[in-house]
Amino acid sequence: MMITISADQAPRDLLLSADPDWSRVQQSLENATIYGYQLDDQIVGVLVLKPLKVGVKEIMAIAVAESYQHRGIAKTMLQLVIKSCQQDPSCEQLQIGTGNSSLRQLALYQRAGFDLSAVWVNYFVDNYSQPIYENGIQCKSMVRLAQNVKGG
């Protein structure tokens, strides 16, 4: 079940698994709606949704505890947020960004209806003090995806 939680209820370890820079995570929580996915009386997933500009919201983070991965929790959280934005008259588009090395996430987002909208070349190289590796690939660039939630 997905519930709205406060920033201090959001599991720090989950947020850091989505972004290893705590100061960036804290910035993403400001003015954001934070959803927790509750299972077995604990928060096992988190999704941070933030207004980006008029008509546009961005999923700033989505993460599921390692022991609960591969159960469709991230997919469910995405579907619920997409549906919520479809019903929100102030939301026309959802955006999300992920690393070029985040292969499973890229597939998940595209299956959920997101399309490639931009690539911010060397974003992670230029903005993070330590290199990030996933799937044996250095995470260098941010892949931006978007979905028009009003069917347009």
Side-chain angles (χ1 to χ4, degrees):
M1 157 174 69
M2 198 156 81
I3 58 171
T4 304
I5 59 175
S6 63
D8 62 340
Q9 291 175 301
R12 182 179 173 132
D13 57 333
L14 282 183
L15 293 169
L16 286 170
S17 73
D19 187 331
D21 185 327
W22 184 243
S23 65
R24 288 182 187 278
V25 170
Q26 289 177 304
Q27 288 175 349
S28 75
L29 298 178
E30 293 173 13
N31 303 314
T33 303
I34 306 162
Y35 297 99
Y37 193 91
Q38 193 170 27
L39 195 63
D40 301 332
D41 294 324
Q42 61 181 329
I43 301 296
V44 299
V46 65
L47 186 149
V48 179
L49 183 67
K50 187 170 186 168
L52 192 58
K53 58 185 177 182
V54 175
V56 180
K57 293 185 179 183
E58 181 174 357
I59 298 171
M60 302 298 293
I62 183 168
V64 176
E66 192 172 346
S67 60
Y68 287 87
Q69 291 178 3
H70 312 294
R71 297 186 190 187
I73 293 171
K75 178 181 176 181
T76 299
M77 288 192 297
L78 272 177
Q79 289 170 338
L80 290 170
V81 166
I82 291 167
K83 185 175 182 178
S84 171
C85 286
Q86 287 170 336
Q87 296 170 350
D88 178 351
S90 71
C91 185
E92 296 175 15
Q93 185 183 74
L94 263 177
Q95 294 184 6
I96 193 165
T98 194
N100 61 280
S101 56
S102 302
L103 306 178
R104 294 189 73 242
Q105 293 89 330
L106 283 165
L108 172 69
Y109 304 150
Q110 290 175 84
R111 282 193 303 265
F114 288 86
D115 291 314
L116 181 68
S117 60
V119 176
W120 295 351
V121 176
N122 287 330
Y123 176 85
F124 294 100
V125 173
D126 296 340
N127 292 287
Y128 286 74
S129 61
Q130 297 292 318
I132 301 168
Y133 287 89
E134 295 175 290
N135 302 303
I137 303 166
Q138 184 176 357
C139 182
K140 294 180 180 179
S141 300
M142 182 182 292
V143 179
R144 303 288 302 169
L145 301 103
Q147 178 176 156
N148 294 324
V149 295
K150 298 300 190 237

